[in-house]
Amino acid sequence: MSDKTPVDFWFDPLCPWAWMTSRWVLEVEKVRDIEVRWHVMSLAVLNEDKDIPEEYREGLAKAWAPVRVVIAAQQKHGDEVIGKLYTALGTRIHNLGEGATREAIAGALDEVGLPADLIDYADTDTYDTELRASHKEGIDKVGQEVGTPVIAVPGENGEQVAFFGPVVTPAPKGEAAAKLWDGTLLVASIPGFYEIKRTRTQGPIFD
């Protein structure tokens, strides 16, 4: 067993802000004694019973395919494939601007050496029970009024400290990544602390 601090990270591959945060956490992994454990959540599941604009709901229809393929890969090939598949998917969807297309998903599967027929799960509900369970595990830690990502770390009392975000762009690197990590854990560990927020003035910077 690893003696590194486990950091559980829930993501939806379609979310550009979760993608930014995930790249930051991987930077933190280089400079702090942590080990990221990847889990899926779903923006489509999160919003399926909410009163949201029809345009946004139509966009969320595209969110099912990539997350279904990731959960299928996890169920058939183990937890260890999630992180590398997420990296391949996110790079294609966000950095390369391919979007959540079947071509992008198929390319990501090929890139990480996973079977091509996993793409067939993009349009099926075969593992939706497992997907919803993973989603529920993450969202139950922070509540329904947030999105992706959700991060959970061990707290001083043995219970997990969980939070949404942070939302940041571009993803800090090196000691800047560590500084943000330390500060995030500091405020998240305070009982009764809920939110720091300001208006976003720029979109995700995929560098």
Side-chain angles (χ1 to χ4, degrees):
M1 292 195 48
S2 173
D3 58 358
K4 295 183 178 182
T5 300
V7 174
D8 291 295
F9 190 109
W10 281 264
F11 67 91
D12 184 315
L14 194 66
C15 179
W17 294 105
W19 174 244
M20 298 298 303
T21 307
S22 73
R23 301 309 93 183
W24 161 68
V25 165
L26 289 178
E27 285 291 318
V28 176
E29 205 173 38
K30 300 174 184 177
V31 291
R32 289 291 184 267
D33 202 24
I34 68 168
E35 183 174 38
V36 183
R37 303 188 299 198
W38 304 98
H39 312 270
V40 294
M41 62 182 294
S42 168
L43 290 173
V45 171
L46 181 67
N47 289 284
E48 62 185 351
D49 296 323
K50 293 183 179 179
D51 183 16
I52 59 175
E54 189 59 31
E55 182 179 352
Y56 183 52
R57 188 172 299 283
E58 291 174 1
L60 285 177
K62 301 175 183 177
W64 284 106
V67 78
R68 278 173 166 167
V69 170
V70 175
I71 197 71
Q74 183 261 333
Q75 292 294 308
K76 296 173 76 68
H77 300 280
D79 293 340
E80 63 273 13
V81 305
I82 303 177
K84 63 180 182 180
L85 180 54
Y86 179 33
T87 290
L89 276 170
T91 299
R92 290 174 177 273
I93 292 171
H94 303 296
N95 295 59
L96 300 180
E98 296 179 16
T101 62
R102 290 183 69 88
E103 292 77 13
I105 298 169
L109 290 170
D110 179 67
E111 182 179 330
V112 300
L114 285 168
D117 60 4
L118 283 171
I119 191 67
D120 296 338
Y121 292 95
D123 303 316
T124 73
D125 61 1
T126 304
Y127 293 114
D128 277 12
T129 298
E130 291 79 4
L131 170 58
R132 289 176 180 275
S134 180
H135 172 88
K136 185 176 187 300
E137 182 185 8
I139 208 67
D140 279 355
K141 296 179 184 296
V142 290
Q144 293 290 326
E145 300 308 314
V146 302
T148 175
V150 170
I151 295 176
V153 298
E156 292 183 358
N157 61 0
E159 295 184 1
Q160 281 190 316
V161 173
F163 50 90
F164 159 72
V167 176
V168 62
T169 188
K173 297 176 175 59
E175 282 306 310
K179 184 177 180 180
L180 177 59
W181 177 253
D182 295 342
T184 299
L185 293 190
L186 176 62
V187 296
S189 66
I190 303 300
F193 175 83
Y194 294 108
E195 187 172 1
I196 288 178
K197 192 170 184 177
R198 55 189 172 193
T199 300
R200 300 177 201 173
T201 57
Q202 63 183 19
I205 299 172
F206 306 126
D207 59 355

